[in-house]
Amino acid sequence: MARYLGGKFVNIIVSLLILATATFFLMKAVPGDPFTQEKAIPPEIKAQIMAHYGLDKPVWHQYLIYMKNLFQFDLGESMKSSNRTVTSIIADSFGTSFKVGIIAIIVSVIIGVYLGMMAALRHKKFIDNFFMFIAVLGISIPSFVVGAMVQYFFGVKFQIFTVAGLEGPLDYVLPVVALSTLPIAFIARLTRSTMLEVLTSDYIRTAKAKGLTPHAILWQHGLRNGILPVVTYLGPMTANVITGSVVVEQIFGLPGLGAYFVESITNRDYTLIMGITIFYAVILMAARFVTDVLYIIIDPRIKISGGVVKK
Amino acid sequence: MSTQLKDIQHSEANTQALFEKLPQRHKEAEIITAESRSTFQESWARLRKNKYAMTGMYVLIIMIILAIVCPMLSPYNTYTNDLDNTYAAPSAKHWFGTDNLGRDMFTRSWRGVQISLIVGFTAALIDLLIGVAYGGIMGFAGKRLGNAMNKFAEVLYAIPYMLVVILLGVVMGSGLFTIILALSITGWITMSWIVRGQILQLKNQEYVLAAQSMGASGGRILFRHLIPNTLGPIIVTVTLSVPSAIFTEAFLSFLGLGVQSPDASLGSLISSAMSSWTLYPWVMAIPASLLCITMIAFNIFGDGLQDAFDPKMKK
């Protein structure tokens, strides 16, 4: 187990290093720099600014310095928002994205699994068809359309919720709705198709023969196997949602990570671009790592010996 | 007890008398009366029985025809403004009304559908070509090369595509071509993983060994034997990658990173409607509905195709 997880961990570190290198050179390969503006700065001052951020050195030298700092967990200073470190910008904005995102994920899992289970139980009945039609809608309608709709109807027309911002707990409702539409639909479909398979298997028949209540069969025996694909899907999905959706943040005026990321790229704020890219990758890979561990815990059939997963 | 036994024996003798042994006709028994059908014919027959999928397919065909025909037949173009007629409600003159500059929404909306479909199909085609070739080689190559190729794909997958889109936009200018290129840079990876998984499963089958023992080259085995056997999942993935490309284009144009005004895309139309649609609902409702209809039709059709190609999964 330890060897298996250790191997995974080394793999993550190597991937991160390659990603950081690739992003660094990709970014530098594009013409332009953070200090080219419409109003030209005197060349002397510009040279001074460039020297301050180390941009006067050859690219490979800049790369070495960046990597050295990265190993000390120093992401540097933002080149546009003066006197703010990249770490503090990420820490501030990630808080917002995380709070909204994690609520959206919890809501999606509860509603998605429930809808999927109900659809599987009433297979080919009205409820099944109806829920699956809703799920297709959820997958097809883009989040910015959902966001705009709920904002108009519940914010402007009926004025149940505020239009934008995150002041009180009720302000979370609309962004969470916009963020969780797609995951709910996806999880419902996934749960339904797995549960249909699970419910016809032998051990469910055995459980029925033993006289267990339908409730116990469904939630204790069925769900345990039915949830596995959802766990797989949930890893990358959580990483995606908690790092913030640019459009949802734009529509509801949330100061999240997504908004900063687009701004940093258009501003060519090198350190901030690097910082956010690496941060995204860390979250994504951490989510995958947690998924692998969860898998071993949930599914006792998976055995690990000599650092290799065996089933 | 014994009387019952006798009865049974008696009835067995009776039944035997009722039957007559016929000469076996071996040759006729071997004749296959059912018409022989290829995998594609089988799948098509299954697809045709699926009402939802067929509805999706017809809606798609109608959307494609309308997207080609409507901008051509319309007396207006996408960019001429009519400042006396801004935000005109839908009427006989302007079927879908006009926007903030008095441009005809009918022409602009259908141009948007056109762009969505162009982006969707081109991106899917590029994904198909690169993804199948890369995934095929990744699965068929030895362990070391396969793992190295997989690592490369994983790293590429982790680069945020927003970064690629914006940087490409700086170099090449924002527009249709940039979006398609940016989508293709990372879009093929999912396809290559699916093909790789399939090839890894198939490459230990007997027919591969047979081909090898007859001296077929690696390339021939891969492209003539293995890839044709993975066509089902490939077709399904392509069908589902079209709506995902359409969605990404709409999303980027919504953020102002995609198709630029005066050209119109569904995403940019929705984005420019954001500020005014509470007063003039049609500027939002029409492009948003067209986008949703296209996406729903593709997803329903893709689901049906999945069931048709993989009847085991059919629930």
Side-chain angles (χ1 to χ4, degrees):
Chain A
M1 178 86 172
R3 205 171 131 196
Y4 169 72
L5 294 181
K8 286 258 169 200
F9 189 71
V10 172
N11 204 355
I12 288 176
I13 300 293
V14 173
S15 301
L16 281 178
L17 286 181
I18 302 175
L19 175 74
T21 311
T23 313
F24 190 88
F25 288 104
L26 183 74
M27 203 173 66
K28 294 282 176 185
V30 175
D33 61 68
F35 309 108
T36 310
Q37 291 161 0
E38 281 161 35
K39 197 179 153 206
I41 315 172
E44 299 82 21
I45 296 180
K46 196 176 170 185
Q48 221 168 24
I49 298 176
M50 297 289 262
H52 175 75
Y53 289 108
L55 292 174
D56 52 342
K57 298 188 178 72
V59 173
W60 62 267
H61 198 165
Q62 293 179 26
Y63 170 72
L64 289 182
I65 294 174
Y66 189 84
M67 289 315 251
K68 193 177 141 247
N69 289 338
L70 190 61
F71 271 102
Q72 295 161 352
F73 299 102
D74 177 10
L75 292 172
E77 202 180 315
S78 164
M79 293 184 181
K80 276 294 191 183
S81 327
S82 47
N83 301 323
R84 287 201 72 186
T85 62
V86 170
T87 321
S88 78
I89 294 181
I90 293 179
D92 286 355
S93 52
F94 179 59
T96 310
S97 301
F98 181 80
K99 273 187 280 180
V100 182
I102 205 77
I103 298 174
I105 286 291
I106 294 170
V107 168
S108 310
V109 172
I110 295 173
I111 299 182
V113 169
Y114 184 77
L115 291 184
M117 297 274 269
M118 288 303 118
L121 277 182
R122 314 241 184 324
H123 183 38
K124 287 188 172 164
K125 303 248 172 64
F126 171 75
I127 294 279
D128 183 24
N129 293 334
F130 180 67
F131 281 176
M132 286 306 112
F133 180 69
I134 301 274
V136 169
L137 291 188
I139 285 178
S140 307
I141 301 176
S143 60
F144 55 89
V145 175
V146 178
M149 297 291 157
V150 291
Q151 187 180 47
Y152 174 64
F153 286 109
F154 298 105
V156 180
K157 208 155 188 191
F158 306 127
Q159 306 203 334
I160 304 173
F161 303 107
T162 45
V163 173
L166 274 185
E167 312 275 286
L170 276 182
D171 297 345
Y172 284 86
V173 175
L174 296 185
V176 165
V177 170
L179 274 177
S180 53
T181 320
L182 179 72
I184 288 178
F186 217 97
I187 293 174
R189 281 159 57 116
L190 214 54
T191 311
R192 172 179 173 270
S193 65
T194 330
M195 281 309 284
L196 285 178
E197 209 166 304
V198 166
L199 289 178
T200 53
S201 55
D202 291 342
Y203 73 92
I204 294 289
R205 199 175 49 205
T206 312
K208 273 184 200 161
K210 282 199 302 186
L212 287 185
T213 60
H215 186 82
I217 294 173
L218 190 63
W219 297 100
Q220 285 168 23
H221 292 253
L223 189 63
R224 182 140 185 183
N225 280 299
I227 204 95
L228 280 176
V230 177
V231 172
T232 318
Y233 167 74
L234 213 55
M237 191 67 214
T238 309
N240 246 323
V241 173
I242 60 172
T243 46
S245 150
V246 188
V247 277
V248 172
E249 283 170 10
Q250 193 176 313
I251 291 174
F252 294 103
L254 312 179
L257 199 56
Y260 270 103
F261 187 50
V262 175
E263 202 185 291
S264 73
I265 307 174
T266 31
N267 280 341
R268 218 64 68 70
D269 192 340
Y270 290 135
T271 40
L272 192 53
I273 299 178
M274 284 300 289
I276 299 182
T277 306
I278 292 172
F279 183 72
Y280 275 154
V282 168
I283 296 276
L284 182 71
M285 289 173 190
R288 279 201 199 137
F289 188 75
V290 173
T291 311
D292 285 339
V293 176
L294 270 183
Y295 232 92
I296 299 169
I297 297 172
I298 299 179
D299 193 348
R301 285 172 303 182
I302 297 178
K303 284 211 176 66
I304 297 164
S305 56
V308 186
V309 173
K310 280 182 186 148
K311 201 165 181 178
Chain B
M1 225 6 162
S2 62
T3 45
Q4 275 181 356
L5 206 68
K6 266 182 190 163
D7 277 350
I8 290 170
Q9 281 168 346
H10 185 69
S11 67
E12 263 182 20
N14 266 345
T15 25
Q16 267 172 8
L18 282 171
F19 288 95
E20 179 192 349
K21 201 176 179 193
L22 286 173
Q24 285 188 346
R25 278 170 275 186
H26 288 287
K27 276 187 184 159
E28 280 170 37
E30 293 297 311
I31 290 174
I32 298 167
T33 46
E35 198 186 328
S36 147
R37 290 193 298 185
S38 70
T39 323
F40 281 92
Q41 286 167 323
E42 289 270 347
S43 305
W44 173 239
R46 272 195 293 268
L47 186 64
R48 267 183 28 191
K49 281 188 204 143
N50 187 337
K51 268 180 287 173
Y52 296 104
M54 289 313 277
T55 316
M57 196 183 83
Y58 291 131
V59 171
L60 271 185
I61 294 173
I62 294 169
M63 290 297 272
I64 293 172
I65 295 172
L66 286 178
I68 297 171
V69 171
C70 287
M72 282 199 304
L73 292 187
S74 160
Y76 306 97
N77 57 29
T78 53
Y79 49 85
T80 309
N81 45 23
D82 176 3
L83 294 174
D84 296 332
N85 247 330
T86 57
Y87 289 126
S91 63
K93 201 173 155 213
H94 297 283
W95 287 4
F96 288 177
T98 62
D99 69 357
N100 57 338
L101 297 173
R103 296 176 291 198
D104 180 49
M105 281 298 287
F106 181 76
T107 322
R108 286 177 71 74
S109 298
W110 285 110
R111 169 66 182 158
V113 178
Q114 215 176 54
I115 291 212
S116 291
L117 292 172
I118 292 174
V119 170
F121 283 118
T122 324
L125 185 71
I126 298 174
D127 288 359
L128 174 75
L129 295 177
I130 304 178
V132 169
Y134 194 91
I137 296 171
M138 186 158 60
F140 193 60
K143 210 173 178 186
R144 197 170 287 171
L145 179 61
N147 283 343
M149 286 173 83
N150 190 27
K151 184 100 254 166
F152 175 74
E154 265 177 21
V155 170
L156 204 58
Y157 194 75
I159 298 180
Y161 70 82
M162 296 272 277
L163 181 70
V164 180
V165 172
I166 300 173
L167 292 184
L168 269 181
V170 173
V171 181
M172 303 173 18
S174 301
L176 195 54
F177 184 69
T178 313
I179 286 214
I180 293 178
L181 189 67
L183 283 180
S184 323
I185 287 179
T186 52
W188 55 269
I189 297 174
T190 317
M191 171 66 92
S192 80
W193 280 335
I194 284 167
V195 174
R196 174 178 185 246
Q198 291 284 319
I199 301 271
L200 284 177
Q201 272 181 14
L202 291 175
K203 76 175 181 184
N204 294 323
Q205 300 248 324
E206 282 84 358
Y207 65 85
V208 178
L209 190 67
Q212 269 166 346
S213 60
M214 283 193 285
S217 67
R220 189 183 158 84
I221 294 174
L222 181 57
F223 288 102
R224 293 296 300 263
H225 295 281
L226 289 175
I227 287 178
N229 275 302
T230 61
L231 271 183
I234 291 177
I235 290 174
V236 173
T237 314
V238 168
T239 320
L240 293 174
S241 76
V242 177
S244 115
I246 290 178
F247 169 75
T248 313
E249 184 278 324
F251 164 82
L252 290 170
S253 296
F254 179 83
L255 291 175
L257 301 170
V259 172
Q260 303 290 317
S261 189
D263 206 349
S265 121
L266 292 176
S268 63
L269 288 174
I270 294 172
S271 164
S272 55
M274 284 299 282
S275 56
S276 55
W277 74 287
T278 47
L279 294 172
Y280 314 104
W282 60 91
V283 289
M284 167 65 104
I286 289 163
S289 335
L290 287 176
L291 179 61
C292 293
I293 291 171
T294 317
M295 297 278 291
I296 292 169
F298 262 113
N299 279 322
I300 293 180
F301 179 62
D303 283 351
L305 215 54
Q306 193 153 23
D307 292 340
F309 272 104
D310 195 354
K312 274 178 296 188
M313 290 295 292
K314 169 104 179 138
K315 295 286 150 56

